[in-house]
Amino acid sequence: MTAGIRSTGARVRRRLRSLAIGELVNVPLQAAVWFGVVGVPTTAANIFGFALVTLLLLEGAAYWTVKLRALSAGSGATLPGAAVFAAARVVNLVLLGLGVPLTALAVVDSPGTGSIPGLLFALFAVLEHVNYFHTQLMYDTPEDRRSRRRNGRRRAHLARDLERARKLGAGQPSADEVGRS
């Protein structure tokens, strides 16, 4: 029984490590693909939209790294740095709220490869924000897909961790604390 729990824990740690590394690798990889291979021009709109995506990928890498460290340390309480992620959720809304209209205006002003990729990057950043801070949109493992078919969409991992941290900040016990009493 404990061997199964240990292997599940090891699998979860590998998955978190893979997610963190994957987000970090995607920043230079996507830049090389879009701006190098595909040849998207480095205009203000395109760079700004890509910067929004980069921000969300870095936030994702930070989250998975913190989550991995907390899991490895056996910390069952709140997410370390939850206040930083809660602030990022608000700051993201401001940046995305400016970024999408600004890149859309660039498309209206000068449609083409100098602006359309920037708008698409900004819209993808919005999806990444939703995927991390609100509702899980990406179901890339067989377990995730089975769960999605059975239970529908679920709240994002980070959203659940932030909610738990908020409740603990308000003096409500965590599930771990309730289980111990």
Side-chain angles (χ1 to χ4, degrees):
M1 178 78 162
T2 57
I5 293 171
R6 251 183 297 195
S7 66
T8 298
R11 189 175 69 241
V12 168
R13 283 190 293 282
R14 275 193 310 275
R15 177 74 176 141
L16 293 176
R17 192 174 304 111
S18 171
L19 288 167
I21 291 168
E23 299 292 49
L24 289 175
V25 167
N26 258 309
V27 173
L29 176 67
Q30 294 299 321
V33 166
W34 292 110
F35 295 106
V37 176
V38 174
V40 168
T42 54
T43 62
N46 290 342
I47 295 295
F48 186 58
F50 189 78
L52 291 172
V53 172
T54 297
L55 173 66
L56 269 296
L57 290 173
L58 293 176
E59 289 172 355
Y63 169 65
W64 296 121
T65 300
V66 168
K67 183 86 172 168
L68 174 63
R69 287 190 181 155
L71 181 67
S72 296
S75 170
T78 62
L79 178 72
V84 173
F85 289 107
R89 178 173 49 194
V90 173
V91 170
N92 287 351
L93 292 177
V94 172
L95 293 173
L96 295 168
L98 292 170
V100 171
L102 286 174
T103 54
L105 283 173
V107 171
V108 170
D109 184 48
S110 178
T113 60
S115 59
I116 293 173
L119 176 59
L120 295 175
F121 290 140
L123 293 173
F124 184 73
V126 169
L127 292 174
E128 281 290 292
H129 176 80
V130 169
N131 187 53
Y132 274 115
F133 291 96
H134 300 285
T135 302
Q136 184 175 340
L137 299 176
M138 192 167 136
Y139 295 85
D140 61 339
T141 65
E143 293 86 9
D144 278 347
R145 288 189 294 277
R146 276 193 298 277
S147 174
R148 166 81 167 58
R149 281 192 299 275
R150 274 195 311 274
N151 307 314
R153 293 207 181 275
R154 64 180 174 201
R155 292 195 64 209
H157 292 278
L158 178 54
R160 288 181 276 163
D161 283 341
L162 290 176
E163 179 66 17
R164 185 173 32 252
R166 187 189 64 74
K167 285 180 180 176
L168 287 173
Q172 296 179 13
S174 72
D176 291 341
E177 293 167 332
V178 169
R180 282 187 233 135
S181 39

